[in-house]
Amino acid sequence: MNENQSNNGALVRVENVEKIFHRGSEDIHVLADLHLQVPAGEFLALMGPSGSGKSTLLNLIGGLDRPTRGLVTVAGERLDQLSDHRLAAWRARHVGFVFQLYNLMPVLTAERNVELPLLLTHLSKAERMKHVDAALAVVGLSHRAKHYPRTLSGGEQQRVGIARGIVTDPTLLLCDEPTGDLDRKAGNEILDLLQALNREHGKTIIMVTHDPHASARATRTVYLDKGQLSNEPVK
Amino acid sequence: MAGPINWFSQIVSITKFGLLSIPQRRGAVVATVIGIAGVVTVLVGVLSIAAGFRQAMTVSGSPDGAIVLRSGADSEMVSGFGRDETRVIADAPGVARTAQGPLASAELFVIINLPKRSTGTDANVPLRGVEPAALLVRDNLKIIQGRMFDWGKDEVIVGRGAAREFAGLEVGSKIKVGRYEWPVAGIFSAGGGVAESEIWTDAKVLQDAYNRGDSFQSVSVRLNSPGAFQQFKDSLTSNPQLNVKVVRQSEYYIEQSETITRLITTLGFLIAFLMAIGAVFGALNTMYSAVAARTREIATLRALGFGSSAVVVSLMLESLLLALVGGVIGGGQAYFAFNNFHTSTMNWQSFSQIAFAFKVTPELLVRGIVWSALIGLIGGLFPAIRAARLPIAAALREL
Ligand SMILES: Nc1ncnc2c1ncn2[C@@H]1O[C@H](COP(=O)(O)OP(=O)(O)O)[C@@H](O)[C@H]1O
Ligand SMILES: [Mg+2]
């Protein structure tokens, strides 16, 4: 909705991106001259062997890390041009994160966890609760609003995580192995939910996974290997 | 853009998570709080000794009182006058008068040995010979038990501090003075001042008992007003017959207490400072482990868009709050353990014992709280900066 996408319709543009980590004196080349364009409304699955750099790429798109070289543009915003401070504010506005291990605050109830990103907005308490209720309804957890994370199943915790990810109606939902810690049944429920968010609510989603069942739900799958993306799995 | 209101709500919520997670790391937290409480207890406790001592000395001096010593004498011990000189001093301008004559008491002073109640060992007690005006020259002097000694008789009255510290100073009991035994006629109070540590008798009686002839060591006077001091002083110091030093009572006693209060204060700060260094490390350790335990949580908040400055401020706030809890506990402990705790110490100028009570004053409590706050802030700063500098992506990888 807020996409003043400059360049031929892509919501996310990753251009010539290189990422090198330094560990001691050792350089780890993770991404090399990588290109990716994600149009608005896409549900993209990002696959690849463990350690291939999937999380690294997702973090660059979500503004959690900066590339060694190259450009990341989201909804027309060049992330490299934002200070750390503005980048944090940008994340709060534009990105919802869903983590493999949910990353909920154990000391907060489900609804308080979902409310967290709204504390970064100017919404009143009443408005915040309205958004929280709506997000919990979307993930089918209204009846668990007052529960603490430790009293919820893994699948339920991940649904709280997704509710937290969408409560601000972000431009982009980034999921790093959202079903990685769940059994098949709970995992399928999460995938159903993500698919519905994409189809019915028009959410643009990028999902890292190494589960073919998960990538089957996406509208497109790309494969990361040796620092490069391809449209075919590498044998 | 994130405005200040939003920034505060970020701080409030991060601080809340920190405080709510304390039960999970209560061991370190309790140790830190106890450490800081210990520092504050010691600091406030030791300084309350100095404060109590200074207060005892301060209430001893009246603003319209003055004491005259031989020029060059720091204390009564090394001062001396003959009868003629004390008369000139008593008749000087500025000295208040009643129908009985000038309010001036020429005094002498010997040291006697009495057993301390606490240890049973002998210690020095000043025995002061006074003239009738002595009771009017000092503020708040009251007989609180028994009666005044009879002038001209071998009798004494005992300050209540001395009565508390030394054995055998009850009304009716006798004390050994040189070769004689003198009965205690009464107990007096002096508003908590130094006189309470003394034993008094008639100056003439004391001169005779100690073969002092007609000599004195000091003259204490009450002036018409505090403003009359300069006139009084000038007339005495310009008198060629006299070679004297004139000080206000209040200044005299404060001067007497300076050495010891400085000693106690320095010692107190030194001990408290060393302990504070230990407490800072305790706080550092607690906050580093808090940051370590919450690395992923903090990284998650940062990923959601919480600012790094809010993280720093929240962690500092958490550390500060813990430290203040320690400070309040420490201040309370010091107050209940030390306030009005009675003791006595050597007066280095007269080499005799001065009884006084520890005073945990509001200023000392505030000072203790300020110290605890500083410990908390220093202990929280580095861990907070580390938390804020954590690269989010790397921190999210931690379990
Ligand atoms: N912060 C970091 N510091 C050093 N090395 C890192 C860091 N983050 C990731 N790496 C390395 O980069 C490579 C890719 O990691 P990652 O993106 O997590 O892979 P994936 O998500 O595909 O399993 C791995 O070899 C990993 O060890
Ligand atoms: Mg990964």
Side-chain angles (χ1 to χ4, degrees):
Chain A
M1 46 217 86
N2 44 2
E3 285 78 303
N4 55 332
Q5 306 134 13
S6 36
N7 317 310
N8 43 19
L11 180 64
V12 177
R13 298 175 62 81
V14 177
E15 298 167 279
N16 300 96
V17 159
E18 179 181 55
K19 181 67 183 177
I20 303 171
F21 287 112
H22 305 281
R23 193 183 285 147
S25 57
E26 190 191 352
D27 284 355
I28 306 167
H29 294 260
V30 180
L31 307 177
D33 197 22
L34 185 140
H35 291 263
L36 173 67
Q37 298 200 5
V38 183
E42 189 165 62
F43 180 3
L44 179 75
L46 178 55
M47 295 191 77
S50 178
S52 58
K54 305 182 294 294
S55 297
T56 300
L57 178 55
L58 200 70
N59 290 342
L60 293 178
I61 294 168
L64 294 182
D65 204 352
R66 296 175 184 273
T68 310
R69 225 184 309 281
L71 293 182
V72 177
T73 313
V74 179
E77 188 86 65
R78 290 229 340 232
L79 303 192
D80 60 302
Q81 289 176 336
L82 299 178
S83 66
D84 285 352
H85 178 69
R86 297 179 123 250
L87 195 58
W90 176 84
R91 285 196 299 272
R93 275 272 295 280
H94 293 286
V95 189
F97 287 98
V98 177
F99 304 93
Q100 179 176 352
L101 297 174
Y102 333 125
N103 291 23
L104 303 177
M105 302 296 135
V107 295
L108 298 184
T109 58
E111 63 179 0
R112 294 273 170 238
N113 265 290
V114 175
E115 188 192 6
L116 273 179
L118 296 176
L119 296 177
L120 304 173
T121 67
H122 287 290
L123 297 179
S124 68
K125 180 80 194 166
E127 289 170 318
R128 293 204 298 267
M129 287 332 285
K130 228 171 68 194
H131 285 76
V132 168
D133 291 343
L136 282 172
V138 168
V139 302
L141 267 191
S142 301
H143 60 298
R144 292 277 196 253
K146 308 278 185 208
H147 286 237
Y148 284 92
R150 65 173 181 283
T151 66
L152 300 175
S153 71
E156 287 173 327
Q157 290 188 55
Q158 192 56 296
R159 283 195 270 162
V160 175
I162 292 171
R164 181 180 65 187
I166 61 172
V167 73
T168 56
D169 191 22
T171 311
L172 198 54
L173 187 61
L174 302 179
C175 313
D176 197 344
E177 310 210 23
T179 60
D181 224 47
L182 298 176
D183 59 35
R184 168 74 53 220
K185 180 166 172 292
N188 277 332
E189 284 168 14
I190 294 298
L191 292 168
D192 290 343
L193 182 54
L194 291 176
Q195 210 166 12
L197 283 171
N198 172 247
R199 285 184 181 160
E200 289 153 33
H201 299 264
K203 279 279 143 229
T204 308
I205 302 176
I206 304 178
M207 174 178 69
V208 166
T209 182
H210 48 235
D211 178 3
H213 284 97
S215 61
R217 306 294 197 97
T219 53
R220 177 163 73 113
T221 302
V222 290
Y223 300 87
L224 183 58
D225 193 40
K226 311 225 162 56
Q228 298 277 327
L229 281 177
S230 67
N231 292 320
E232 301 299 326
V234 193
K235 289 284 144 30
Chain B
M1 254 343 300
I5 297 176
N6 172 320
W7 191 69
F8 282 120
S9 74
Q10 291 183 46
I11 291 170
V12 169
S13 39
I14 302 174
T15 308
K16 205 173 78 187
F17 304 149
L19 297 179
L20 287 172
S21 72
I22 284 175
Q24 288 149 39
R25 47 201 173 84
R26 59 180 159 258
V29 169
V30 168
T32 303
V33 169
I34 290 176
I36 293 172
V39 173
V40 172
T41 306
V42 168
L43 178 75
V44 173
V46 175
L47 295 186
S48 78
I49 303 174
F53 189 69
R54 188 168 340 174
Q55 187 178 354
M57 294 308 242
T58 308
V59 301
S60 304
S62 152
D64 55 0
I67 180 163
V68 184
L69 304 174
R70 172 156 303 285
S71 152
D74 287 335
S75 73
E76 292 178 86
M77 289 292 286
V78 292
S79 172
F81 294 122
R83 166 65 66 189
D84 309 340
E85 289 166 305
T86 65
R87 276 223 185 92
V88 174
I89 293 165
D91 290 333
V95 176
R97 291 182 159 267
T98 64
Q100 281 76 44
L103 290 185
S105 167
E107 302 180 353
L108 72 159
F109 160 128
V110 301
I111 300 290
I112 62 171
N113 272 301
L114 289 174
K116 289 194 85 166
R117 269 186 210 279
S118 53
T119 56
T121 54
D122 280 2
N124 292 337
V125 193
L127 171 58
R128 181 182 293 277
V130 300
E131 294 188 317
L135 289 104
L136 302 171
V137 159
R138 291 172 179 79
D139 283 341
N140 300 319
L141 215 102
K142 270 200 291 286
I143 304 291
I144 55 171
Q145 217 184 312
R147 56 171 176 82
M148 181 61 184
F149 60 75
D150 284 337
W151 298 97
K153 261 205 186 155
D154 294 349
E155 276 183 351
V156 298
I157 55 172
V158 174
R160 71 172 163 191
R164 190 164 41 224
E165 288 295 316
F166 291 93
L169 292 182
E170 292 81 28
V171 175
S173 57
K174 292 187 170 174
I175 61 169
K176 260 179 81 101
V177 180
R179 286 163 287 142
Y180 314 100
E181 290 214 316
W182 291 0
V184 175
I187 309 279
F188 68 94
S189 67
V194 179
E196 288 190 3
S197 301
E198 298 177 343
I199 299 176
W200 283 11
T201 187
D202 184 346
K204 258 200 217 85
V205 169
L206 193 61
Q207 284 171 339
D208 291 347
Y210 279 78
N211 299 319
R212 291 282 182 95
D214 206 6
S215 74
F216 298 88
Q217 282 162 291
S218 66
V219 181
S220 282
V221 303
R222 186 181 282 279
L223 301 168
N224 285 321
S225 70
F229 177 77
Q230 201 57 42
Q231 180 196 17
F232 174 66
K233 178 176 176 174
D234 290 346
S235 87
L236 294 186
T237 49
S238 62
N239 185 339
Q241 275 179 275
L242 294 173
N243 186 16
V244 298
K245 157 172 163 178
V246 183
V247 274
R248 285 183 193 276
Q249 254 181 33
S250 48
E251 279 160 26
Y252 174 74
Y253 287 112
I254 287 171
E255 220 169 82
Q256 298 260 301
S257 66
E258 230 161 52
T259 320
I260 197 152
T261 47
R262 198 176 304 136
L263 184 79
I264 297 169
T265 307
T266 310
L267 208 70
F269 273 121
L270 198 72
I271 298 169
F273 183 73
L274 292 176
M275 287 181 68
I277 292 175
V280 164
F281 280 104
L284 274 173
N285 181 51
T286 299
M287 293 314 292
Y288 271 128
S289 57
V291 169
R294 288 160 61 197
T295 296
R296 202 158 62 99
E297 179 181 313
I298 291 168
T300 304
L301 290 171
R302 300 277 316 280
L304 297 183
F306 281 73
S308 55
S309 64
V311 170
V312 172
V313 173
S314 307
L315 285 167
M316 299 275 293
L317 210 58
E318 178 182 333
S319 177
L320 182 65
L321 288 173
L322 292 180
L324 287 177
V325 169
V328 168
I329 292 174
Q333 265 175 358
Y335 185 83
F336 289 109
F338 298 129
N339 194 38
N340 288 329
F341 177 81
H342 287 282
T343 188
S344 65
T345 187
M346 198 72 160
N347 177 351
W348 299 94
Q349 267 75 17
S350 67
F351 295 102
S352 55
Q353 295 281 318
I354 291 187
F356 66 99
F358 291 20
K359 287 289 171 214
V360 177
T361 61
E363 290 87 343
L364 290 187
L365 290 174
V366 168
R367 189 177 291 182
I369 301 284
V370 167
W371 272 55
S372 69
L374 287 177
I375 293 170
L377 288 177
I378 297 169
L381 181 63
F382 300 100
I385 288 174
R386 172 188 283 189
R389 290 225 178 119
L390 279 177
I392 306 171
L396 280 172
R397 299 170 71 85
E398 293 195 14
L399 286 185

